[in-house]
Amino acid sequence: MKAIHIEFAPDSMAKRLHYTALSTVMLSLVVLVICAGSFWRGNQLFQGHVQLSEKVQDLQADIQKIEKKQVKALVVKLPQEQVIAINQAVTKLNLPWSDVFDALEKASSDKVALLQVSPNSQKASLKVMAETKSSDDMIAYLEGVKQQKFFTDMVLEKHEINEQDTNKPYRFQFEVQWRNGARQ
């Protein structure tokens, strides 16, 4: 026959602990230590997050202050002469150089040498100094320039024979205006 265990003691914590296996108590203690460690580490991470958030807010405030100072520093009133000089430089940089050189190249021949090309952006004109061996070559070149669609008006300003050179070439200067915004 099997023995029957009869317990008349009231239910209490001490009674439950007495009947609990040692492995269960040890496992409970390990779980309790892990939970306490996790809570402690989580609290540390949360505090670190709060500190980093405060630092980020401080840095953002500093950045905004610096940007306001930079904006104030960038708003500088330039003298009128400097504004005019800057505008002239920008205008010179915006000249239609590729169109100008394409048109001059289409009119060019191996008998004419270009010596100087000087643009005037306000007038949309170009002064060109060139040299050739004969007056016929000069006239043929000027006619070729007149035929270019990019140029509108052409005026021969001066021509002379260079007596100092042994070949005595014809040196001539002309002014030509180009069409604004026109592509060939």
Side-chain angles (χ1 to χ4, degrees), residues 4-176:
I4 300 176
H5 180 62
I6 299 175
E7 182 68 47
F8 293 106
D11 193 24
S12 69
M13 193 66 142
K15 178 179 166 187
R16 287 186 187 192
L17 190 59
H18 176 67
Y19 286 114
T20 306
L22 183 61
S23 61
T24 305
V25 171
M26 292 303 278
L27 183 63
S28 298
L29 284 175
V30 168
V31 168
L32 184 63
V33 167
I34 289 174
C35 286
S38 296
F39 177 77
W40 178 76
R41 182 67 181 141
N43 191 31
Q44 278 185 330
L45 290 174
F46 180 73
Q47 294 299 325
H49 174 72
V50 168
Q51 289 175 352
L52 285 176
S53 295
E54 289 173 357
K55 285 183 182 178
V56 166
Q57 288 176 351
D58 290 343
L59 289 174
Q60 286 176 340
D62 290 344
I63 288 171
Q64 288 176 351
K65 288 177 186 176
I66 291 171
E67 286 176 347
K68 286 180 183 178
K69 287 180 183 177
Q70 286 179 347
V71 168
K72 289 179 183 177
L74 292 177
V75 179
V76 177
K77 184 80 172 166
L78 294 175
Q80 186 66 22
E81 299 85 25
Q82 193 172 7
V83 171
I84 292 170
I86 291 171
N87 287 339
Q88 288 174 346
V90 168
T91 303
K92 285 182 182 179
L93 291 173
N94 288 332
L95 288 176
W97 286 110
S98 59
D99 293 334
V100 167
F101 288 128
D102 286 346
L104 288 175
E105 189 173 301
K106 286 179 184 177
S108 69
S109 73
D110 56 347
K111 297 178 182 180
V112 177
L114 296 180
L115 302 176
Q116 183 178 0
V117 177
S118 303
N120 184 339
S121 56
Q122 283 80 20
K123 294 181 181 179
S125 68
L126 190 70
K127 283 194 179 198
V128 179
M129 183 178 290
E131 208 171 64
T132 186
K133 291 184 180 182
S134 70
S135 61
D136 293 335
D137 293 336
M138 175 183 71
I139 292 171
Y141 179 74
L142 293 174
E143 287 298 322
V145 171
K146 277 184 183 179
Q147 293 175 2
Q148 297 304 311
K149 293 179 183 176
F150 181 70
F151 298 127
T152 57
D153 295 325
M154 194 219 19
V155 175
L156 179 63
E157 292 182 338
K158 67 178 181 176
H159 60 90
E160 63 188 8
I161 298 175
N162 188 355
E163 298 289 337
Q164 297 170 350
D165 193 337
T166 57
N167 294 329
K168 301 194 187 294
Y170 281 80
R171 185 172 286 178
F172 58 99
Q173 179 175 330
F174 63 93
E175 184 173 1
V176 65

